[in-house]
PDB file of all heavy atoms in Angstrom:
ATOM      1  N   ILE D2180     174.329  75.844 -69.670  1.00 89.00           N
ATOM      2  CA  ILE D2180     173.129  75.237 -70.245  1.00 89.00           C
ATOM      3  C   ILE D2180     173.274  75.061 -71.744  1.00 89.00           C
ATOM      4  O   ILE D2180     173.001  73.986 -72.288  1.00 89.00           O
ATOM      5  CB  ILE D2180     171.902  76.105 -69.908  1.00 89.00           C
ATOM      6  CG1 ILE D2180     171.698  76.173 -68.391  1.00 89.00           C
ATOM      7  CG2 ILE D2180     170.646  75.555 -70.574  1.00 89.00           C
ATOM      8  CD1 ILE D2180     170.554  77.071 -67.977  1.00 89.00           C
ATOM      9  N   LEU D2181     173.733  76.102 -72.434  1.00 90.00           N
ATOM     10  CA  LEU D2181     173.851  76.075 -73.884  1.00 90.00           C
ATOM     11  C   LEU D2181     175.305  75.878 -74.287  1.00 90.00           C
ATOM     12  O   LEU D2181     176.225  76.071 -73.469  1.00 90.00           O
ATOM     13  CB  LEU D2181     173.310  77.376 -74.469  1.00 90.00           C
ATOM     14  CG  LEU D2181     171.804  77.609 -74.288  1.00 90.00           C
ATOM     15  CD1 LEU D2181     171.428  79.015 -74.728  1.00 90.00           C
ATOM     16  CD2 LEU D2181     170.988  76.577 -75.024  1.00 90.00           C
ATOM     17  N   PRO D2182     175.572  75.492 -75.527  1.00 91.00           N
ATOM     18  CA  PRO D2182     176.961  75.328 -75.975  1.00 91.00           C
ATOM     19  C   PRO D2182     177.761  76.621 -75.904  1.00 91.00           C
ATOM     20  O   PRO D2182     177.215  77.727 -75.732  1.00 91.00           O
ATOM     21  CB  PRO D2182     176.796  74.841 -77.430  1.00 91.00           C
ATOM     22  CG  PRO D2182     175.451  74.231 -77.490  1.00 91.00           C
ATOM     23  CD  PRO D2182     174.607  75.027 -76.533  1.00 91.00           C
ATOM     24  N   ARG D2183     179.043  76.495 -76.069  1.00 90.00           N
ATOM     25  CA  ARG D2183     179.977  77.598 -75.845  1.00 90.00           C
ATOM     26  C   ARG D2183     179.712  78.786 -76.765  1.00 90.00           C
ATOM     27  O   ARG D2183     179.856  79.942 -76.355  1.00 90.00           O
ATOM     28  CB  ARG D2183     181.405  77.080 -76.049  1.00 90.00           C
ATOM     29  CG  ARG D2183     182.497  78.118 -75.868  1.00 90.00           C
ATOM     30  CD  ARG D2183     183.877  77.509 -76.050  1.00 90.00           C
ATOM     31  NE  ARG D2183     184.911  78.523 -75.926  1.00 90.00           N
ATOM     32  CZ  ARG D2183     185.340  79.260 -76.951  1.00 90.00           C
ATOM     33  NH1 ARG D2183     184.815  79.085 -78.159  1.00 90.00           N
ATOM     34  NH2 ARG D2183     186.286  80.164 -76.780  1.00 90.00           N
ATOM     35  N   MET D2184     179.333  78.535 -78.009  1.00 91.00           N
ATOM     36  CA  MET D2184     179.156  79.626 -78.967  1.00 91.00           C
ATOM     37  C   MET D2184     178.060  80.595 -78.543  1.00 91.00           C
ATOM     38  O   MET D2184     178.082  81.770 -78.923  1.00 91.00           O
ATOM     39  CB  MET D2184     178.842  79.055 -80.349  1.00 91.00           C
ATOM     40  CG  MET D2184     180.040  78.507 -81.089  1.00 91.00           C
ATOM     41  SD  MET D2184     181.200  79.791 -81.591  1.00 91.00           S
ATOM     42  CE  MET D2184     180.310  80.541 -82.943  1.00 91.00           C
ATOM     43  N   HIS D2185     177.092  80.157 -77.750  1.00 92.00           N
ATOM     44  CA  HIS D2185     176.030  81.044 -77.297  1.00 92.00           C
ATOM     45  C   HIS D2185     176.556  82.100 -76.327  1.00 92.00           C
ATOM     46  O   HIS D2185     175.865  83.098 -76.089  1.00 92.00           O
ATOM     47  CB  HIS D2185     174.930  80.240 -76.613  1.00 92.00           C
ATOM     48  CG  HIS D2185     174.066  79.476 -77.565  1.00 92.00           C
ATOM     49  ND1 HIS D2185     172.929  80.004 -78.133  1.00 92.00           N
ATOM     50  CD2 HIS D2185     174.188  78.223 -78.074  1.00 92.00           C
ATOM     51  CE1 HIS D2185     172.376  79.112 -78.927  1.00 92.00           C
ATOM     52  NE2 HIS D2185     173.110  78.027 -78.904  1.00 92.00           N
ATOM     53  N   TYR D2186     177.739  81.897 -75.767  1.00 91.00           N
ATOM     54  CA  TYR D2186     178.291  82.832 -74.791  1.00 91.00           C
ATOM     55  C   TYR D2186     179.439  83.661 -75.379  1.00 91.00           C
ATOM     56  O   TYR D2186     179.620  84.819 -74.996  1.00 91.00           O
ATOM     57  CB  TYR D2186     178.765  82.083 -73.556  1.00 91.00           C
ATOM     58  CG  TYR D2186     177.667  81.247 -72.924  1.00 91.00           C
ATOM     59  CD1 TYR D2186     177.588  79.880 -73.142  1.00 91.00           C
ATOM     60  CD2 TYR D2186     176.683  81.832 -72.137  1.00 91.00           C
ATOM     61  CE1 TYR D2186     176.575  79.109 -72.577  1.00 91.00           C
ATOM     62  CE2 TYR D2186     175.668  81.083 -71.571  1.00 91.00           C
ATOM     63  CZ  TYR D2186     175.620  79.726 -71.797  1.00 91.00           C
ATOM     64  OH  TYR D2186     174.606  78.972 -71.246  1.00 91.00           O
ATOM     65  N   VAL D2187     180.225  83.073 -76.283  1.00 90.00           N
ATOM     66  CA  VAL D2187     181.336  83.832 -76.864  1.00 90.00           C
ATOM     67  C   VAL D2187     180.857  84.713 -78.013  1.00 90.00           C
ATOM     68  O   VAL D2187     181.408  85.781 -78.259  1.00 90.00           O
ATOM     69  CB  VAL D2187     182.454  82.883 -77.333  1.00 90.00           C
ATOM     70  CG1 VAL D2187     183.052  82.151 -76.156  1.00 90.00           C
ATOM     71  CG2 VAL D2187     181.950  81.890 -78.375  1.00 90.00           C
ATOM     72  N   ARG D2188     179.816  84.276 -78.745  1.00 92.00           N
ATOM     73  CA  ARG D2188     179.204  85.100 -79.790  1.00 92.00           C
ATOM     74  C   ARG D2188     177.698  85.049 -79.618  1.00 92.00           C
ATOM     75  O   ARG D2188     176.984  84.381 -80.369  1.00 92.00           O
ATOM     76  CB  ARG D2188     179.615  84.626 -81.186  1.00 92.00           C
ATOM     77  CG  ARG D2188     181.087  84.789 -81.484  1.00 92.00           C
ATOM     78  CD  ARG D2188     181.378  84.679 -82.957  1.00 92.00           C
ATOM     79  NE  ARG D2188     180.800  85.779 -83.722  1.00 92.00           N
ATOM     80  CZ  ARG D2188     181.044  85.968 -85.027  1.00 92.00           C
ATOM     81  NH1 ARG D2188     181.846  85.139 -85.678  1.00 92.00           N
ATOM     82  NH2 ARG D2188     180.484  86.970 -85.670  1.00 92.00           N
ATOM     83  N   PRO D2189     177.183  85.713 -78.592  1.00 92.00           N
ATOM     84  CA  PRO D2189     175.755  85.584 -78.278  1.00 92.00           C
ATOM     85  C   PRO D2189     174.871  86.229 -79.336  1.00 92.00           C
ATOM     86  O   PRO D2189     175.271  87.158 -80.039  1.00 92.00           O
ATOM     87  CB  PRO D2189     175.631  86.291 -76.924  1.00 92.00           C
ATOM     88  CG  PRO D2189     176.759  87.262 -76.908  1.00 92.00           C
ATOM     89  CD  PRO D2189     177.887  86.629 -77.683  1.00 92.00           C
ATOM     90  N   LEU D2190     173.652  85.715 -79.411  1.00 92.00           N
ATOM     91  CA  LEU D2190     172.638  86.273 -80.292  1.00 92.00           C
ATOM     92  C   LEU D2190     171.736  87.201 -79.478  1.00 92.00           C
ATOM     93  O   LEU D2190     171.434  86.925 -78.321  1.00 92.00           O
ATOM     94  CB  LEU D2190     171.808  85.158 -80.932  1.00 92.00           C
ATOM     95  CG  LEU D2190     172.602  84.072 -81.664  1.00 92.00           C
ATOM     96  CD1 LEU D2190     171.664  82.971 -82.135  1.00 92.00           C
ATOM     97  CD2 LEU D2190     173.371  84.655 -82.839  1.00 92.00           C
ATOM     98  N   GLY D2191     171.293  88.267 -80.094  1.00 89.00           N
ATOM     99  CA  GLY D2191     170.415  89.204 -79.402  1.00 89.00           C
ATOM    100  C   GLY D2191     169.050  88.602 -79.143  1.00 89.00           C
ATOM    101  O   GLY D2191     168.623  87.665 -79.827  1.00 89.00           O
ATOM    102  N   PRO D2192     168.323  89.118 -78.149  1.00 88.00           N
ATOM    103  CA  PRO D2192     166.996  88.560 -77.837  1.00 88.00           C
ATOM    104  C   PRO D2192     166.036  88.614 -79.019  1.00 88.00           C
ATOM    105  O   PRO D2192     165.327  87.644 -79.304  1.00 88.00           O
ATOM    106  CB  PRO D2192     166.516  89.431 -76.673  1.00 88.00           C
ATOM    107  CG  PRO D2192     167.755  90.002 -76.075  1.00 88.00           C
ATOM    108  CD  PRO D2192     168.708  90.170 -77.205  1.00 88.00           C
ATOM    109  N   ALA D2193     165.995  89.753 -79.732  1.00 89.00           N
ATOM    110  CA  ALA D2193     165.087  89.854 -80.880  1.00 89.00           C
ATOM    111  C   ALA D2193     165.492  88.891 -81.984  1.00 89.00           C
ATOM    112  O   ALA D2193     164.645  88.221 -82.594  1.00 89.00           O
ATOM    113  CB  ALA D2193     165.080  91.291 -81.391  1.00 89.00           C
ATOM    114  N   GLN D2194     166.790  88.802 -82.245  1.00 92.00           N
ATOM    115  CA  GLN D2194     167.267  87.885 -83.281  1.00 92.00           C
ATOM    116  C   GLN D2194     166.998  86.438 -82.893  1.00 92.00           C
ATOM    117  O   GLN D2194     166.628  85.607 -83.733  1.00 92.00           O
ATOM    118  CB  GLN D2194     168.766  88.110 -83.495  1.00 92.00           C
ATOM    119  CG  GLN D2194     169.355  87.326 -84.656  1.00 92.00           C
ATOM    120  CD  GLN D2194     170.842  87.580 -84.822  1.00 92.00           C
ATOM    121  OE1 GLN D2194     171.544  87.841 -83.827  1.00 92.00           O
ATOM    122  NE2 GLN D2194     171.333  87.513 -86.036  1.00 92.00           N
ATOM    123  N   GLN D2195     167.148  86.130 -81.616  1.00 91.00           N
ATOM    124  CA  GLN D2195     166.893  84.762 -81.161  1.00 91.00           C
ATOM    125  C   GLN D2195     165.419  84.393 -81.321  1.00 91.00           C
ATOM    126  O   GLN D2195     165.096  83.265 -81.705  1.00 91.00           O
ATOM    127  CB  GLN D2195     167.306  84.647 -79.694  1.00 91.00           C
ATOM    128  CG  GLN D2195     167.963  83.336 -79.343  1.00 91.00           C
ATOM    129  CD  GLN D2195     168.611  83.380 -77.971  1.00 91.00           C
ATOM    130  OE1 GLN D2195     168.014  83.857 -77.028  1.00 91.00           O
ATOM    131  NE2 GLN D2195     169.815  82.879 -77.851  1.00 91.00           N
ATOM    132  N   ASP D2196     164.519  85.333 -81.053  1.00 90.00           N
ATOM    133  CA  ASP D2196     163.099  85.054 -81.228  1.00 90.00           C
ATOM    134  C   ASP D2196     162.759  84.808 -82.692  1.00 90.00           C
ATOM    135  O   ASP D2196     161.990  83.903 -83.027  1.00 90.00           O
ATOM    136  CB  ASP D2196     162.262  86.219 -80.683  1.00 90.00           C
ATOM    137  CG  ASP D2196     162.250  86.265 -79.164  1.00 90.00           C
ATOM    138  OD1 ASP D2196     162.535  85.211 -78.553  1.00 90.00           O
ATOM    139  OD2 ASP D2196     161.975  87.331 -78.593  1.00 90.00           O
ATOM    140  N   ILE D2197     163.326  85.609 -83.589  1.00 92.00           N
ATOM    141  CA  ILE D2197     163.068  85.415 -85.018  1.00 92.00           C
ATOM    142  C   ILE D2197     163.564  84.052 -85.476  1.00 92.00           C
ATOM    143  O   ILE D2197     162.869  83.312 -86.193  1.00 92.00           O
ATOM    144  CB  ILE D2197     163.733  86.547 -85.829  1.00 92.00           C
ATOM    145  CG1 ILE D2197     163.066  87.886 -85.504  1.00 92.00           C
ATOM    146  CG2 ILE D2197     163.673  86.258 -87.318  1.00 92.00           C
ATOM    147  CD1 ILE D2197     163.764  89.075 -86.134  1.00 92.00           C
ATOM    148  N   LEU D2198     164.771  83.684 -85.051  1.00 94.00           N
ATOM    149  CA  LEU D2198     165.327  82.386 -85.456  1.00 94.00           C
ATOM    150  C   LEU D2198     164.541  81.230 -84.838  1.00 94.00           C
ATOM    151  O   LEU D2198     164.368  80.180 -85.468  1.00 94.00           O
ATOM    152  CB  LEU D2198     166.800  82.308 -85.045  1.00 94.00           C
ATOM    153  CG  LEU D2198     167.746  83.275 -85.759  1.00 94.00           C
ATOM    154  CD1 LEU D2198     169.135  83.211 -85.147  1.00 94.00           C
ATOM    155  CD2 LEU D2198     167.811  82.971 -87.248  1.00 94.00           C
ATOM    156  N   ARG D2199     164.053  81.402 -83.603  1.00 93.00           N
ATOM    157  CA  ARG D2199     163.274  80.333 -82.966  1.00 93.00           C
ATOM    158  C   ARG D2199     161.969  80.089 -83.731  1.00 93.00           C
ATOM    159  O   ARG D2199     161.618  78.939 -84.001  1.00 93.00           O
ATOM    160  CB  ARG D2199     162.983  80.687 -81.517  1.00 93.00           C
ATOM    161  CG  ARG D2199     162.152  79.614 -80.808  1.00 93.00           C
ATOM    162  CD  ARG D2199     161.715  80.039 -79.432  1.00 93.00           C
ATOM    163  NE  ARG D2199     162.825  80.144 -78.506  1.00 93.00           N
ATOM    164  CZ  ARG D2199     163.257  81.269 -77.969  1.00 93.00           C
ATOM    165  NH1 ARG D2199     162.645  82.408 -78.266  1.00 93.00           N
ATOM    166  NH2 ARG D2199     164.260  81.294 -77.146  1.00 93.00           N
TER     167      ARG D2199
END
Side-chain angles (χ1 to χ4, degrees):
I2180 298 177
L2181 294 172
R2183 179 178 178 272
M2184 283 292 286
H2185 285 271
Y2186 304 100
V2187 296
R2188 295 196 66 173
L2190 306 175
Q2194 186 180 31
Q2195 218 168 45
D2196 287 339
I2197 294 173
L2198 294 173
R2199 179 187 292 113

